[in-house]
Amino acid sequence: MLASVKQLQVVNSFAQLPPVFYTPLQPQVLSNPRLLHANVEVARLLGLSETALSSQDFLDVVSGVKPLPDGKTLAAVYSGHQFGVWAGQLGDGRAHLLGEVVGPGGNWELQLKGSGRTPYSRMGDGRAVLRSSVREYLASEAMAGLGIPTSRALALVVSDDPVYRETVETAAIVTRVSPSFVRFGSFEHWSSSPDNLRLLVDYVIDHFFPECRIEGGNPDDDILRFLRSVVRKTAQLVAHWQTVGFCHGVMNTDNMSILGLTIDYGPYGFMDAFQVNHICNHSDTQGRYAWNAQPSVANWNLYRLASSLLGLGLDAEALKGELAHFEADFLQTYQSNLCNKLGLRQWQPGDESLVDDWWGLLHGQRADFTLSFRELAVAPQQPAAFVAGFDDKSAAQAWLDRYTQRLDQEARPVSERIDQMNSVNPVYVLRNHLAQGAIEAAEKGDASEIDTLLKLLRDPYVEQAGYEAYAAKPPEHACQLEVSCSS
């Protein structure tokens, strides 16, 4: 039976670590907080009833007015590399962990983002603006709809309190949900403190990687197996990002989940016009986190994680041996995804060239990433319509001829292939202009556009009548939208 807020079973496993890992403190309450939206699907994961979402108890918790019943509210400390440079101590500068709910299918930590200053805020104000809060709320659910590992979003609270960014905006709080918010930077923080690093490693392995623990075995081998698992999960995650045209925007080590989840949605973007070196973050002036750089950056971040484990006396060559699996792990998922997206049964020698030339065609024509894959399903049967979508029609026709020949090698039934492609190539993704429309409505207190987008993004592969505009190319003005680290 689904429960009320007060009936939730709450544990606090992270809070059982020594006090040096966090600071207990309550959020800074917003003025007149109002619930703009609550996510029924995520509530079910926690065991919360839909009725509970409209209760005062629920609003009190997700606005930070009252603690989660039986929860221990805290802000965690961590460190990290930001844009490739060691930034030293960081931490939850505008987030509060409320506790860990024992849900029907697992445990979920609840965290408020935008809930006020903490000892780790540095020069920040501890707030999140409505604009970025709506974007995170929608993005995490969009990724879940695509089947990509991610944190989730439970609630969006708004206020009239001013927040100063490039302009004056209003404050909001997102309730984020994840099995854990431990990140690569959590390990980096303790790299020179072996006792605390060992406690963190043991906590993470015991709670989230128990399969890496062999009773009576060498503890160092447990850690190597743990690193191997993190390498695999991270490589798979970035391969998923690449094959849906997603750019994270700020792949700092403090934004990398140890569980291989997409977390900390800031200046992210789903590509419209494809460019292999697309930069979604206006603050990323050097293009460190461009689309084509994401795999190499993820690998670099894993080296930083492994370097922190040297503090436990592990052998450097043994750690490198686990890291060496990254490329193969990435390619396995990347190639498998592309086989499905291209309607191929399995990857064959020569497919690398076909895919590289596909990226080259999309790049040279600035073709729409999502629509190009979706339209490819019927391109062999409707070549004229496919080719008409490209300025360089001869290049498009030449590639389509090669692709059709590749399909002919498998002699696969057309209907079977089309069904497969349509099951993995989405009709709807969270384009920037769609998110912006939801933001503008939310600024007026209207959550209807959030409802519409969640409806489409939760089942992104199925065309829904009456929503053609949400699947179309973005309007011309959309290219002027910019997202930055202030998002």
Side-chain angles (χ1 to χ4, degrees), residues 376-397:
L376 194 57
V378 295
Q381 285 67 50
Q382 301 174 20
F386 174 81
V387 170
F390 294 87
D391 293 333
D392 188 344
K393 293 176 174 47
S394 62
Q397 185 64 61

PDB file of all heavy atoms in Angstrom, residues 376-397:
ATOM      1  N   LEU A 376      15.562   7.774 -40.862  1.00  0.00           N
ATOM      2  CA  LEU A 376      16.381   6.762 -41.516  1.00  0.00           C
ATOM      3  C   LEU A 376      15.660   5.422 -41.620  1.00  0.00           C
ATOM      4  O   LEU A 376      15.952   4.617 -42.509  1.00  0.00           O
ATOM      5  CB  LEU A 376      17.689   6.601 -40.748  1.00  0.00           C
ATOM      6  CG  LEU A 376      18.827   5.835 -41.426  1.00  0.00           C
ATOM      7  CD1 LEU A 376      19.185   6.471 -42.763  1.00  0.00           C
ATOM      8  CD2 LEU A 376      20.047   5.793 -40.511  1.00  0.00           C
ATOM      9  N   ALA A 377      14.703   5.187 -40.729  1.00  0.00           N
ATOM     10  CA  ALA A 377      13.996   3.902 -40.727  1.00  0.00           C
ATOM     11  C   ALA A 377      13.320   3.629 -42.067  1.00  0.00           C
ATOM     12  O   ALA A 377      13.307   2.490 -42.550  1.00  0.00           O
ATOM     13  CB  ALA A 377      12.973   3.861 -39.596  1.00  0.00           C
ATOM     14  N   VAL A 378      12.749   4.643 -42.686  1.00  0.00           N
ATOM     15  CA  VAL A 378      12.023   4.447 -43.949  1.00  0.00           C
ATOM     16  C   VAL A 378      12.804   4.968 -45.152  1.00  0.00           C
ATOM     17  O   VAL A 378      12.308   4.934 -46.271  1.00  0.00           O
ATOM     18  CB  VAL A 378      10.637   5.126 -43.892  1.00  0.00           C
ATOM     19  CG1 VAL A 378       9.768   4.459 -42.840  1.00  0.00           C
ATOM     20  CG2 VAL A 378      10.765   6.619 -43.609  1.00  0.00           C
ATOM     21  N   ALA A 379      14.031   5.440 -44.912  1.00  0.00           N
ATOM     22  CA  ALA A 379      14.812   6.018 -46.005  1.00  0.00           C
ATOM     23  C   ALA A 379      15.054   5.051 -47.166  1.00  0.00           C
ATOM     24  O   ALA A 379      14.949   5.445 -48.331  1.00  0.00           O
ATOM     25  CB  ALA A 379      16.133   6.563 -45.475  1.00  0.00           C
ATOM     26  N   PRO A 380      15.370   3.768 -46.922  1.00  0.00           N
ATOM     27  CA  PRO A 380      15.588   2.871 -48.064  1.00  0.00           C
ATOM     28  C   PRO A 380      14.343   2.687 -48.928  1.00  0.00           C
ATOM     29  O   PRO A 380      14.454   2.435 -50.133  1.00  0.00           O
ATOM     30  CB  PRO A 380      15.992   1.546 -47.394  1.00  0.00           C
ATOM     31  CG  PRO A 380      16.580   1.958 -46.089  1.00  0.00           C
ATOM     32  CD  PRO A 380      15.726   3.118 -45.643  1.00  0.00           C
ATOM     33  N   GLN A 381      13.172   2.804 -48.329  1.00  0.00           N
ATOM     34  CA  GLN A 381      11.920   2.672 -49.079  1.00  0.00           C
ATOM     35  C   GLN A 381      11.458   4.011 -49.675  1.00  0.00           C
ATOM     36  O   GLN A 381      10.687   4.034 -50.618  1.00  0.00           O
ATOM     37  CB  GLN A 381      10.815   2.112 -48.173  1.00  0.00           C
ATOM     38  CG  GLN A 381      10.935   0.615 -47.886  1.00  0.00           C
ATOM     39  CD  GLN A 381      12.157   0.287 -47.055  1.00  0.00           C
ATOM     40  OE1 GLN A 381      12.390   0.905 -46.014  1.00  0.00           O
ATOM     41  NE2 GLN A 381      12.948  -0.671 -47.512  1.00  0.00           N
ATOM     42  N   GLN A 382      11.937   5.113 -49.097  1.00  0.00           N
ATOM     43  CA  GLN A 382      11.548   6.450 -49.571  1.00  0.00           C
ATOM     44  C   GLN A 382      12.800   7.304 -49.756  1.00  0.00           C
ATOM     45  O   GLN A 382      12.997   8.316 -49.077  1.00  0.00           O
ATOM     46  CB  GLN A 382      10.600   7.097 -48.561  1.00  0.00           C
ATOM     47  CG  GLN A 382       9.329   6.298 -48.300  1.00  0.00           C
ATOM     48  CD  GLN A 382       8.480   6.898 -47.187  1.00  0.00           C
ATOM     49  OE1 GLN A 382       8.610   8.061 -46.841  1.00  0.00           O
ATOM     50  NE2 GLN A 382       7.604   6.076 -46.629  1.00  0.00           N
ATOM     51  N   PRO A 383      13.689   6.893 -50.672  1.00  0.00           N
ATOM     52  CA  PRO A 383      14.977   7.588 -50.804  1.00  0.00           C
ATOM     53  C   PRO A 383      14.854   9.038 -51.215  1.00  0.00           C
ATOM     54  O   PRO A 383      15.637   9.882 -50.763  1.00  0.00           O
ATOM     55  CB  PRO A 383      15.705   6.757 -51.862  1.00  0.00           C
ATOM     56  CG  PRO A 383      14.628   6.034 -52.604  1.00  0.00           C
ATOM     57  CD  PRO A 383      13.565   5.757 -51.605  1.00  0.00           C
ATOM     58  N   ALA A 384      13.891   9.355 -52.046  1.00  0.00           N
ATOM     59  CA  ALA A 384      13.763  10.734 -52.515  1.00  0.00           C
ATOM     60  C   ALA A 384      13.456  11.672 -51.361  1.00  0.00           C
ATOM     61  O   ALA A 384      14.019  12.770 -51.273  1.00  0.00           O
ATOM     62  CB  ALA A 384      12.675  10.830 -53.584  1.00  0.00           C
ATOM     63  N   ALA A 385      12.579  11.245 -50.453  1.00  0.00           N
ATOM     64  CA  ALA A 385      12.227  12.087 -49.311  1.00  0.00           C
ATOM     65  C   ALA A 385      13.419  12.265 -48.386  1.00  0.00           C
ATOM     66  O   ALA A 385      13.656  13.350 -47.846  1.00  0.00           O
ATOM     67  CB  ALA A 385      11.053  11.459 -48.558  1.00  0.00           C
ATOM     68  N   PHE A 386      14.201  11.199 -48.192  1.00  0.00           N
ATOM     69  CA  PHE A 386      15.386  11.281 -47.333  1.00  0.00           C
ATOM     70  C   PHE A 386      16.406  12.248 -47.916  1.00  0.00           C
ATOM     71  O   PHE A 386      16.904  13.145 -47.220  1.00  0.00           O
ATOM     72  CB  PHE A 386      15.993   9.887 -47.166  1.00  0.00           C
ATOM     73  CG  PHE A 386      17.290   9.879 -46.416  1.00  0.00           C
ATOM     74  CD1 PHE A 386      17.324   9.934 -45.034  1.00  0.00           C
ATOM     75  CD2 PHE A 386      18.506   9.799 -47.098  1.00  0.00           C
ATOM     76  CE1 PHE A 386      18.525   9.914 -44.340  1.00  0.00           C
ATOM     77  CE2 PHE A 386      19.710   9.788 -46.418  1.00  0.00           C
ATOM     78  CZ  PHE A 386      19.716   9.843 -45.032  1.00  0.00           C
ATOM     79  N   VAL A 387      16.722  12.079 -49.173  1.00  0.00           N
ATOM     80  CA  VAL A 387      17.739  12.903 -49.819  1.00  0.00           C
ATOM     81  C   VAL A 387      17.314  14.360 -49.863  1.00  0.00           C
ATOM     82  O   VAL A 387      18.143  15.275 -49.733  1.00  0.00           O
ATOM     83  CB  VAL A 387      18.042  12.364 -51.234  1.00  0.00           C
ATOM     84  CG1 VAL A 387      18.916  13.335 -52.015  1.00  0.00           C
ATOM     85  CG2 VAL A 387      18.702  10.995 -51.148  1.00  0.00           C
ATOM     86  N   ALA A 388      16.016  14.607 -49.997  1.00  0.00           N
ATOM     87  CA  ALA A 388      15.524  15.989 -50.085  1.00  0.00           C
ATOM     88  C   ALA A 388      15.801  16.786 -48.825  1.00  0.00           C
ATOM     89  O   ALA A 388      15.810  18.026 -48.852  1.00  0.00           O
ATOM     90  CB  ALA A 388      14.024  15.976 -50.369  1.00  0.00           C
ATOM     91  N   GLY A 389      16.045  16.097 -47.731  1.00  0.00           N
ATOM     92  CA  GLY A 389      16.296  16.791 -46.477  1.00  0.00           C
ATOM     93  C   GLY A 389      17.699  17.329 -46.341  1.00  0.00           C
ATOM     94  O   GLY A 389      18.017  17.974 -45.328  1.00  0.00           O
ATOM     95  N   PHE A 390      18.570  17.068 -47.313  1.00  0.00           N
ATOM     96  CA  PHE A 390      19.964  17.507 -47.256  1.00  0.00           C
ATOM     97  C   PHE A 390      20.253  18.500 -48.370  1.00  0.00           C
ATOM     98  O   PHE A 390      19.761  18.351 -49.493  1.00  0.00           O
ATOM     99  CB  PHE A 390      20.905  16.304 -47.386  1.00  0.00           C
ATOM    100  CG  PHE A 390      20.842  15.346 -46.231  1.00  0.00           C
ATOM    101  CD1 PHE A 390      19.905  14.312 -46.214  1.00  0.00           C
ATOM    102  CD2 PHE A 390      21.700  15.464 -45.155  1.00  0.00           C
ATOM    103  CE1 PHE A 390      19.831  13.431 -45.154  1.00  0.00           C
ATOM    104  CE2 PHE A 390      21.641  14.585 -44.086  1.00  0.00           C
ATOM    105  CZ  PHE A 390      20.702  13.570 -44.086  1.00  0.00           C
ATOM    106  N   ASP A 391      21.068  19.481 -48.059  1.00  0.00           N
ATOM    107  CA  ASP A 391      21.484  20.437 -49.086  1.00  0.00           C
ATOM    108  C   ASP A 391      22.368  19.761 -50.132  1.00  0.00           C
ATOM    109  O   ASP A 391      22.210  19.977 -51.329  1.00  0.00           O
ATOM    110  CB  ASP A 391      22.238  21.618 -48.447  1.00  0.00           C
ATOM    111  CG  ASP A 391      21.328  22.479 -47.578  1.00  0.00           C
ATOM    112  OD1 ASP A 391      20.109  22.497 -47.850  1.00  0.00           O
ATOM    113  OD2 ASP A 391      21.828  23.100 -46.632  1.00  0.00           O
ATOM    114  N   ASP A 392      23.309  18.942 -49.673  1.00  0.00           N
ATOM    115  CA  ASP A 392      24.178  18.210 -50.583  1.00  0.00           C
ATOM    116  C   ASP A 392      23.528  16.865 -50.877  1.00  0.00           C
ATOM    117  O   ASP A 392      23.791  15.852 -50.221  1.00  0.00           O
ATOM    118  CB  ASP A 392      25.562  18.015 -49.953  1.00  0.00           C
ATOM    119  CG  ASP A 392      26.568  17.432 -50.926  1.00  0.00           C
ATOM    120  OD1 ASP A 392      26.145  16.893 -51.973  1.00  0.00           O
ATOM    121  OD2 ASP A 392      27.775  17.501 -50.646  1.00  0.00           O
ATOM    122  N   LYS A 393      22.667  16.866 -51.876  1.00  0.00           N
ATOM    123  CA  LYS A 393      21.870  15.675 -52.150  1.00  0.00           C
ATOM    124  C   LYS A 393      22.701  14.530 -52.702  1.00  0.00           C
ATOM    125  O   LYS A 393      22.398  13.352 -52.457  1.00  0.00           O
ATOM    126  CB  LYS A 393      20.733  16.038 -53.098  1.00  0.00           C
ATOM    127  CG  LYS A 393      19.722  16.977 -52.433  1.00  0.00           C
ATOM    128  CD  LYS A 393      18.646  17.432 -53.389  1.00  0.00           C
ATOM    129  CE  LYS A 393      17.584  18.247 -52.648  1.00  0.00           C
ATOM    130  NZ  LYS A 393      18.127  19.281 -51.763  1.00  0.00           N
ATOM    131  N   SER A 394      23.753  14.836 -53.417  1.00  0.00           N
ATOM    132  CA  SER A 394      24.588  13.759 -53.948  1.00  0.00           C
ATOM    133  C   SER A 394      25.301  13.029 -52.821  1.00  0.00           C
ATOM    134  O   SER A 394      25.436  11.796 -52.852  1.00  0.00           O
ATOM    135  CB  SER A 394      25.594  14.324 -54.956  1.00  0.00           C
ATOM    136  OG  SER A 394      26.471  15.250 -54.327  1.00  0.00           O
ATOM    137  N   ALA A 395      25.778  13.773 -51.815  1.00  0.00           N
ATOM    138  CA  ALA A 395      26.437  13.139 -50.668  1.00  0.00           C
ATOM    139  C   ALA A 395      25.446  12.283 -49.898  1.00  0.00           C
ATOM    140  O   ALA A 395      25.773  11.174 -49.452  1.00  0.00           O
ATOM    141  CB  ALA A 395      27.040  14.200 -49.763  1.00  0.00           C
ATOM    142  N   ALA A 396      24.229  12.790 -49.718  1.00  0.00           N
ATOM    143  CA  ALA A 396      23.207  12.026 -49.002  1.00  0.00           C
ATOM    144  C   ALA A 396      22.841  10.759 -49.761  1.00  0.00           C
ATOM    145  O   ALA A 396      22.687   9.686 -49.172  1.00  0.00           O
ATOM    146  CB  ALA A 396      21.975  12.893 -48.777  1.00  0.00           C
ATOM    147  N   GLN A 397      22.703  10.868 -51.071  1.00  0.00           N
ATOM    148  CA  GLN A 397      22.349   9.696 -51.872  1.00  0.00           C
ATOM    149  C   GLN A 397      23.465   8.657 -51.859  1.00  0.00           C
ATOM    150  O   GLN A 397      23.202   7.454 -51.757  1.00  0.00           O
ATOM    151  CB  GLN A 397      22.069  10.125 -53.314  1.00  0.00           C
ATOM    152  CG  GLN A 397      21.570   8.979 -54.214  1.00  0.00           C
ATOM    153  CD  GLN A 397      20.234   8.439 -53.761  1.00  0.00           C
ATOM    154  OE1 GLN A 397      19.237   9.164 -53.729  1.00  0.00           O
ATOM    155  NE2 GLN A 397      20.186   7.156 -53.391  1.00  0.00           N
TER     156      GLN A 397
END
